[in-house]
């Protein structure tokens, strides 16, 4: 549980996701997210916040694997409207459904990625 908690807070920090947004993404109170950063609050395996954390980590890992791993590039991608998704990914990941949709999109892009290494907008 410590590994997932630490990975989720690290991914959020690298993606420019603040405590308030991370709390919304994970379905927790902001104070719990602040405690997570010190490992005073660990996500429980099988809980909804734990499952959402795994999805967020997946988003981060897929962005990184596709060459959007530079912090600024990843933040920019998350913050811009995406035509294929029909929304801003940063807004979408605030819900479980949105997390799943963004992760599915990134995984499909990775599977279809051509030699250009560019992620469609």
């Amino acid at each position: 549980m410590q590994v997932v908690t630490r990975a989720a807070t690290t991914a959020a920090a690298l993606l420019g996701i603040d405590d308030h947004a991370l709390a919304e993404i994970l379905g927790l109170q902001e104070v719990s997210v602040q405690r997570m950063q010190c490992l005073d609050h660990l996500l429980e395996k099988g809980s909804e916040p734990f499952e959402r954390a795994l999805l967020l980590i997946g988003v981060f890992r897929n962005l990184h694997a596709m060459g959007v791993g530079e912090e600024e590039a990843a933040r920019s991608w998350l913050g811009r409207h995406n035509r294929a998704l029909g929304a801003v990914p940063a807004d979408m990941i605030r819900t479980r459904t949105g997390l799943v949709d963004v992760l599915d999109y990134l995984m499909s892009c990775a599977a279809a990625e051509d030699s250009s290494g560019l992620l469609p907008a």
Side-chain angles (χ1 to χ4, degrees):
M1 287 36 87
Q2 181 176 341
V3 172
V4 172
T5 301
R6 174 70 72 200
T9 57
T10 300
L14 293 172
L15 293 172
I17 298 170
D18 64 22
D19 291 350
H20 178 76
L22 183 57
E24 193 172 349
I25 290 165
L26 299 179
L28 294 171
Q29 293 183 356
E30 194 169 338
V31 68
S32 295
V33 168
Q34 293 165 348
R35 291 180 52 223
M36 284 171 54
Q37 294 163 353
C38 302
L39 299 178
D40 289 338
H41 175 84
L42 299 179
L43 297 172
E44 294 181 35
K45 187 175 183 179
S47 69
E48 180 68 16
F50 183 90
E51 298 301 322
R52 288 182 180 205
L54 292 176
L55 293 168
L56 178 63
I57 294 164
V59 167
F60 173 78
R61 289 177 53 110
N62 275 275
L63 281 170
H64 183 71
M66 296 183 68
V68 189
E70 295 294 322
E71 291 176 35
E72 285 302 314
R75 290 175 182 183
S76 176
W77 185 86
L78 279 174
R80 283 194 327 257
H81 186 271
N82 182 288
R83 288 185 307 268
L85 292 169
V88 176
D91 295 338
M92 292 178 67
I93 65 173
R94 292 177 184 253
T95 67
R96 180 182 177 81
T97 302
L99 272 167
V100 170
D101 290 346
V102 170
L103 182 56
D104 285 348
Y105 171 74
L106 290 171
M107 290 172 60
S108 70
C109 287
E113 184 178 39
D114 59 39
S115 61
S116 71
L118 296 176
L119 185 64

